[in-house]
Structure formats: structure tokens, C-alpha cells
Amino acid sequence: MSTFQIHIVEKCKQNDRQAQMQLYKQYCDGMLIVALRFVKDTMEAEDIVQEAFIKAFSRLDQYRAEVSFGAWLKRIVVNRCIDVLKSKKQRLIELEEHHLKVVEANDSDDWLVDDDITIEDVKNAIETLPEKYKYVVMLYLIEGYDHSEISEILNITEVASRTQLSRGKQKLQTLLKKEKHGTRS
């Protein structure tokens, strides 16, 4: 993190409104995009971003510059999105531990899609996944979280995260193949 960024955060800790506005302007649009990936409603996403900034500014004393301010704020936004979805009774279906088996991480090139599949095709396919897979796939593939972070965010085990990611990727690949071969409705 740059010394300039650290300086702005320090000013924010002292309730400097200009510094807070500067951080807000720097991260607002990016955080809105993250929120929209989860909640799909612009007004709700804007509310989530506002609440995340309020929470971040009120808890700046907990921020340790181990990660960038943006990464710390993104985690707050993602957690808030998950909370909103849960409160709307869109519960994540958690698999019972005894139904799970450990899935080996296989990040080899055998999980490829055709070159003419666009990012939009992938995003649309992710949207159709069952929720228990969709959020793990989004957090892992799009947001870049690892399994320990996903398990913390979704309150599931790392084993569940790996398993749900593996199954989600399989379903996603099937959806993308169907779309490619024209059998998707």
C-alpha cells in the first residue's frame, strides 16, 4: 500500500471529512459493481455500498494495512451482500458435512471452455447456478477469494467450499457447453 494511501486512511481515522470523501470517490464505483454481482438491484446495491462505507469509517481503528484499503472494504461489501441475501430468506443451502467428500484442487487446464464463449456468457451462466454453488463460484472465480476466506464469509467449512466450487464449476461447464451447442432454451 502506498504511503499516500496510508496517509489518507490516517486522516480518515481522525474524522477528516475531505479524506473520507476522497476514499469514497476512489472506491465507490468499484464497490457498487461488486454489490451488483450479488444483489442485482441498483438501489439495494447502492444502499449496501453506503452501509459498507459507514461501517468501514466507523471501524477504521480495526484496519491494519496488511491488505489494501480496497480489499478490506470489498470484504465488508461482500459480507453485507451475503447478510442482505440471507435476511431476504434467500438462504444459502449448506450441505451436511457427512454428505461432503474432500475434492482435490484440480486447477489444471482440463477445465476449459470454447474460445467463442464470452465473459457475459460465463456471468449469465453463473447466475443460473443453484445458490449453494453460485456464491462460492462468484467469490472464487470473480472476486478472487481463497477457500479459507470463502469459508469465513459464507460460514461454511473449507471442505464445503472446495466441494461446492468443484460441483459449481462442473455445472457451469455443462451450462456453457449447452449454450455453445444450441441446446439451451
Side-chain angles (χ1 to χ4, degrees), residues 104-158:
E104 293 298 319
N106 186 5
D107 294 331
S108 65
D109 288 339
D110 63 321
W111 198 84
L112 296 175
V113 294
D114 292 320
D115 290 338
D116 57 343
I117 298 289
T118 66
I119 291 174
E120 281 307 309
D121 293 334
V122 174
K123 287 180 181 178
N124 291 336
I126 288 172
E127 282 306 311
T128 66
L129 290 174
E131 287 186 4
K132 64 184 172 185
Y133 304 136
K134 177 168 60 174
Y135 297 118
V136 173
V137 169
M138 285 174 61
L139 290 169
Y140 189 85
L141 295 179
I142 296 175
E143 302 302 333
Y145 288 108
D146 64 26
H147 291 293
S148 67
E149 293 169 320
I150 293 169
S151 70
E152 198 176 303
I153 291 169
L154 297 179
N155 198 25
I156 60 175
T157 65
E158 286 186 43

Side-chain angles (χ1 to χ4, degrees), residues 88-99:
K88 291 171 72 176
K89 304 283 188 237
Q90 295 178 355
R91 299 255 178 227
L92 298 170
I93 301 169
E94 296 180 9
L95 299 174
E96 296 291 326
E97 284 297 322
H98 65 277
H99 291 296

Side-chain angles (χ1 to χ4, degrees), residues 26-38:
Q26 183 178 352
Y27 290 106
C28 180
D29 292 340
M31 295 303 122
L32 183 61
I33 290 168
V34 170
L36 279 169
R37 286 186 193 130
F38 286 87

Side-chain angles (χ1 to χ4, degrees), residues 17-46:
R17 297 293 181 219
Q18 286 183 327
Q20 289 174 341
M21 185 55 81
Q22 190 173 355
L23 271 182
Y24 177 80
K25 286 180 180 177
Q26 183 178 352
Y27 290 106
C28 180
D29 292 340
M31 295 303 122
L32 183 61
I33 290 168
V34 170
L36 279 169
R37 286 186 193 130
F38 286 87
V39 295
K40 308 296 179 236
D41 178 66
T42 303
M43 290 179 63
E44 191 166 43
E46 288 171 350

Side-chain angles (χ1 to χ4, degrees), residues 39-125:
V39 295
K40 308 296 179 236
D41 178 66
T42 303
M43 290 179 63
E44 191 166 43
E46 288 171 350
D47 287 347
I48 287 169
V49 170
Q50 294 299 320
E51 291 168 14
F53 271 102
I54 290 168
K55 186 173 186 176
F57 288 141
S58 67
R59 295 189 178 171
L60 272 176
D61 58 313
Q62 297 175 9
Y63 173 67
R64 310 277 177 257
E66 297 158 353
V67 296
S68 71
F69 178 81
W72 185 69
L73 180 62
K74 181 179 179 180
R75 185 168 211 150
I76 294 171
V77 170
V78 168
N79 283 331
R80 184 67 194 123
C81 288
I82 300 294
D83 290 344
V84 165
L85 292 172
K86 284 180 179 179
S87 71
K88 291 171 72 176
K89 304 283 188 237
Q90 295 178 355
R91 299 255 178 227
L92 298 170
I93 301 169
E94 296 180 9
L95 299 174
E96 296 291 326
E97 284 297 322
H98 65 277
H99 291 296
L100 298 175
K101 62 179 188 258
V102 176
V103 175
E104 293 298 319
N106 186 5
D107 294 331
S108 65
D109 288 339
D110 63 321
W111 198 84
L112 296 175
V113 294
D114 292 320
D115 290 338
D116 57 343
I117 298 289
T118 66
I119 291 174
E120 281 307 309
D121 293 334
V122 174
K123 287 180 181 178
N124 291 336

